[in-house]
Amino acid sequence: MTMTPEQAAWFQGTFARLVDNVDQALMGKREVVALVLSAMLAEGHVLLEDAPGTGKTSLAKALAATVQGTSSRIQFTPDLLPSDVTGVTIYDQAQHRFEFHRGPVFASIVLADEINRASPKTQSALLEVMEESRITVDGVTHDVGRPFLVIATQNPIEQAGTYKLPEAQLDRFLVKTSIGYPDLAVAERILAGAADRNPSAHLSAIITTGAVADMADLAGTVHVDPAVLRYTAQLSEATRNDSATRVGVSVRGSLAMIRIAKVYAAAQGRHFVLPDDIKALVAPVWTHRLVLDPEAEFAGTSAETVIARVLDSVAAPQARSAA
C-alpha cells in the first residue's frame, strides 16, 4: 500500500505542527529540529557534535513533551557501567525472586550526553538497543517501545581522556549534525526569557507516542521509484570507490538514506521521493560513515569533500513521481 496524496498532506501539516512546538523551546533551529524529528520518524538515532550549552538537553526534553513521551539523560563518564545504562536484575528477598530494574535507556527520548567519555564497553551497551529497540539482561529480552530515539552528543573540544566512537557504532546513527549557536536576534529572545530555566515544561503535547508510531509506519509507505533506488546505490558505490576513502557507505547506510528520505518527502507533502531529497540528506546521513585514507585526510580532504565529489560524478535521474 502506497501513501495517498491526502495522507501526505496530513503528514505535512502534522510534521509542521511538531516542528513549531519544539521551536518554542529551541528557538531559531527549525532545520535541526526537522532533521532530528525526521530521524525519529525513520526510527533512527542522532549524533550531535556540538559545543556545550547549545541546547542539546532542551531539544530532547522539548521533543519528549511534544510527543507526550518520556525523556532521560545519561551523563557518560569513564566510570559508567553498562548496567547503569540498560538496568540491572536484583534479587528481592521479600518476594524471593529476581526483579529487573530498568535503566534510563527505557524512555521515548534518551539523551546520551558526551558519549565519547565512557569506555568502549559502556558505549557498546547502546548497540543492541539502538539497532533492535530492545535489550537483553541475564538472558531476558526487554523491549523499549516506540517511539525510541537516542540523541548522543560529543564535544569537539576537550578530547583528553575520551574514547573515539568505533566505526561500527557511528554507522548505527542515522544522522550526524550540530545545533550551533543562535544568531544575534534569537540570542536576544533567549536572554529575554532567562528567568524560565525549563521552557520545555510549558509545551503542550501535539500527538501521542502511539500516533508517532503510526506516522512512522505511514512514512514507510511513501513510494520510491526504482530510478531513485538505483541513484542511491550508485552514490553509495561511488563513496566506496573514491580514492580518498578506506571505507565508504555501507548497505546499512543506503537503507538509512531511503528510510529518512521517505519521511523527508512526506514532510514536504509528497507521497513519493525525489532525487533532490537524496541530495539534501546526503551530508547529514552519510558523512560520518566515511573512513578516509590517512594520507588524503592529511592532505586536506574531508568527508564533505568526498560527498560533494560523489554528487558531481553521479548523474541524478529524472524519476517518475509515483507508481
Side-chain angles (χ1 to χ4, degrees), residues 13-71:
T14 305
F15 189 92
R17 289 170 58 211
L18 295 174
V19 174
D20 289 341
N21 204 55
V22 176
D23 189 56
Q24 295 180 53
L26 196 75
M27 301 177 190
K29 297 296 179 182
R30 292 183 60 85
E31 290 185 4
V32 176
V33 172
L35 185 61
V36 173
L37 185 58
S38 296
M40 182 174 71
L41 293 174
E43 300 190 295
H45 307 284
V46 177
L47 179 62
L48 294 178
E49 187 171 79
D50 228 328
T54 52
K56 300 182 286 290
T57 303
S58 296
L59 172 60
K61 288 183 177 180
L63 272 174
T66 298
V67 301
Q68 209 174 56
T70 57
S71 66

Side-chain angles (χ1 to χ4, degrees), residues 226-313:
V228 177
L229 295 175
R230 188 179 308 110
Y231 178 57
T232 304
Q234 290 173 333
L235 289 173
S236 175
E237 185 177 42
T239 65
R240 297 192 291 269
N241 293 336
D242 193 276
S243 59
T245 60
R246 295 180 62 183
V247 179
V249 175
S250 65
V251 175
R252 181 191 286 127
S254 298
L255 288 170
M257 174 62 77
I258 296 301
R259 292 205 316 271
I260 195 171
K262 289 183 175 184
V263 177
Y264 185 87
Q268 309 299 316
R270 285 184 277 103
H271 60 290
F272 53 88
V273 175
L274 294 176
D276 284 345
D277 299 333
I278 305 298
K279 293 179 181 180
L281 293 165
V282 161
V285 178
W286 278 0
T287 50
H288 63 287
R289 303 174 192 271
L290 302 182
V291 180
L292 300 182
D293 180 81
E295 293 186 5
E297 195 169 12
F298 182 76
T301 301
S302 64
E304 290 77 10
T305 303
V306 174
I307 291 297
R309 191 156 58 211
V310 164
L311 286 173
D312 288 339
S313 65

Side-chain angles (χ1 to χ4, degrees), residues 154-196:
Q154 58 181 5
N155 293 334
I157 58 175
E158 297 179 356
Q159 295 297 312
T162 63
Y163 301 87
K164 183 180 179 181
L165 290 174
E167 284 76 13
Q169 189 162 341
L170 279 174
D171 202 35
R172 281 169 168 77
F173 287 100
L174 180 60
V175 165
K176 180 183 178 184
T177 186
S178 63
I179 297 176
Y181 292 111
D183 60 33
L184 184 58
V186 173
E188 290 178 359
R189 289 170 54 199
I190 294 173
L191 293 177
D196 187 359

